[in-house]
């Protein structure tokens, strides 16, 4: 007899991440960097665009793995720094020196490209509306700069869908600080046992919330699975918010 995979009933409250959970925003950076490098192929020659993209991406990944939270408020500046870093790594390997001006133009184009390419994941609006219709209290909890994140909240019609909007740059704290989750739950008038956290970052949306007793759902939109050797064990893994909508009204 098949085992039941019945989902727990919806909670009293959900804390939901925005970028790469509701919006396709910053996933798959290698595709974006390759696209931008191709646009600048003539100026990067004789270096192949793909080689430049690989160098920039490697520097960027190392930078963000060690970056202080304050850099999330200065995304444009951080990208200029990481492209210059990628260019410097190429020059150190004996390749042609590329100018800071070219690095800055490449970085600024990447920022514009990323903003233009953002879209709402199919079904995300409907799923959030379904949670709200079933009486679930909803908080949007997102890291990042106030102006940039607030612009996305308005552009993608999220404000009226949530009981509480919590943007790192507006509140002065963000994930994975414990108070980010505690403040959101306080705003909704709920406790950890009543709450689910949903998002794409294992540290921000699973590790810390679980420590606080929150049921933690990791969204893996590309179906890549947990990173090899990961010790993190989400309470549930989904590929879309639509999977959380109950079949019955």
């Amino acid at each position: 007899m098949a085992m039941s995979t019945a989902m727990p009933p919806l909670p009293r409250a959900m804390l939901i991440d925005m970028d790469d959970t509701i919006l396709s925003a910053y996933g798959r950076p290698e595709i974006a960097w390759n696209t931008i490098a191709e646009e600048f192929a003539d100026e990067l020659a004789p270096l192949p665009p793909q080689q430049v993209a690989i160098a920039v991406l490697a520097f960027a990944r190392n930078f963000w793995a060690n970056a202080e939270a304050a850099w999330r408020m200065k995304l444009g500046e951080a990208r200029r720094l990481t492209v210059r870093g990628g260019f410097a790594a190429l020059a150190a390997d004996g390749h042609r020196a590329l100018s800071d001006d070219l690095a800055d133009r490449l970085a600024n184009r990447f920022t514009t490209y990323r903003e233009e390419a953002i879209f709402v994941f199919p079904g995300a609006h409907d799923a959030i509306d379904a949670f709200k219709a079933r009486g679930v209290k909803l908080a949007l909890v997102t890291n990042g700069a106030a102006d940039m994140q607030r612009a996305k909240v308005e552009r993608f019609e999220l404000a009226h869908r949530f009981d509480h909007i919590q943007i790192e740059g507006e509140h002065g704290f963000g994930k994975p600080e414990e108070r980010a989750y505690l403040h959101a739950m306080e705003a909704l008038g709920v406790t950890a046992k009543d709450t689910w956290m949903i998002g794409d970052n294992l540290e921000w949306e699973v590790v810390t919330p679980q420590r606080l007793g929150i049921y933690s759902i990791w969204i893996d939109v590309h179906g890549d699975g947990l990173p090899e050797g990961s010790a993190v064990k989400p309470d549930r893994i989904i590929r879309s918010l639509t999977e959380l909508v109950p079949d019955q009204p």
Side-chain angles (χ1 to χ4, degrees):
M1 184 173 157
M3 284 185 67
S4 169
T5 54
M7 193 173 63
L10 287 176
R12 282 188 63 207
M14 291 183 186
L15 314 182
I16 306 178
D17 171 53
M18 180 167 68
D19 294 318
D20 298 304
T21 297
I22 297 168
L23 307 179
S24 176
Y26 304 122
R28 299 285 161 100
E30 65 280 359
I31 295 172
W33 280 119
N34 272 298
T35 303
I36 301 308
E38 286 287 351
E39 287 184 14
F40 286 80
D42 290 350
E43 293 187 76
L44 297 172
L47 277 165
Q50 188 180 14
Q51 187 175 1
V52 175
I54 288 168
V56 170
L57 186 62
F59 190 93
R61 284 195 164 132
N62 186 58
F63 173 83
W64 285 113
N66 301 288
E68 294 176 3
W71 280 107
R72 295 198 293 266
M73 305 300 120
K74 302 180 288 186
L75 211 49
E77 188 182 333
R79 283 172 179 154
R80 288 189 288 277
L81 188 150
T82 56
V83 177
R84 288 185 182 200
F87 282 9
L90 288 165
D93 283 344
H95 296 291
R96 176 192 159 203
L98 299 165
S99 72
D100 285 348
D101 171 69
L102 178 57
D104 291 351
R105 285 188 290 117
L106 202 105
N108 293 343
R109 172 65 188 124
F110 181 86
T111 293
T112 306
Y113 174 87
R114 283 301 227 184
E115 295 307 311
E116 288 170 352
I118 294 172
F119 63 90
V120 179
F121 282 124
H125 274 164
D126 291 343
I128 295 163
D129 292 346
F131 304 148
K132 195 175 179 70
R134 286 166 170 81
V136 179
K137 294 183 177 185
L138 300 172
L140 183 73
V141 183
T142 180
N143 282 357
D147 54 353
M148 196 170 92
Q149 298 302 77
R150 179 59 66 174
K152 280 188 265 189
V153 167
E154 300 303 330
R155 176 180 163 195
F156 296 107
E157 301 178 348
L158 298 175
H160 73 276
R161 292 186 151 92
F162 288 88
D163 302 294
H164 174 65
I165 303 273
Q166 189 171 304
I167 297 170
E168 182 181 20
E170 291 179 353
H171 282 72
F173 52 83
K175 301 172 289 189
E177 294 177 71
E178 290 189 359
R179 64 175 167 162
Y181 315 92
L182 297 172
H183 184 271
M185 289 190 293
E186 187 181 347
L188 297 180
V190 296
T191 58
K193 65 179 174 52
D194 300 318
T195 306
W196 290 0
M197 176 83 225
I198 305 142
D200 69 300
N201 185 303
L202 288 168
E203 179 69 29
W204 300 352
E205 272 93 41
V206 180
V207 175
T208 307
Q210 281 182 338
R211 193 164 65 236
L212 295 171
I214 297 168
Y215 185 85
S216 302
I217 300 171
W218 183 54
I219 189 163
D220 175 22
V221 291
H222 301 294
D224 294 331
L226 290 166
E228 197 171 336
S230 173
V232 183
K233 291 188 169 47
D235 293 300
R236 184 160 180 212
I237 299 174
I238 58 172
R239 290 194 60 179
S240 164
L241 289 174
T242 56
E243 292 176 45
L244 300 178
V245 180
D247 293 333
Q248 300 302 318

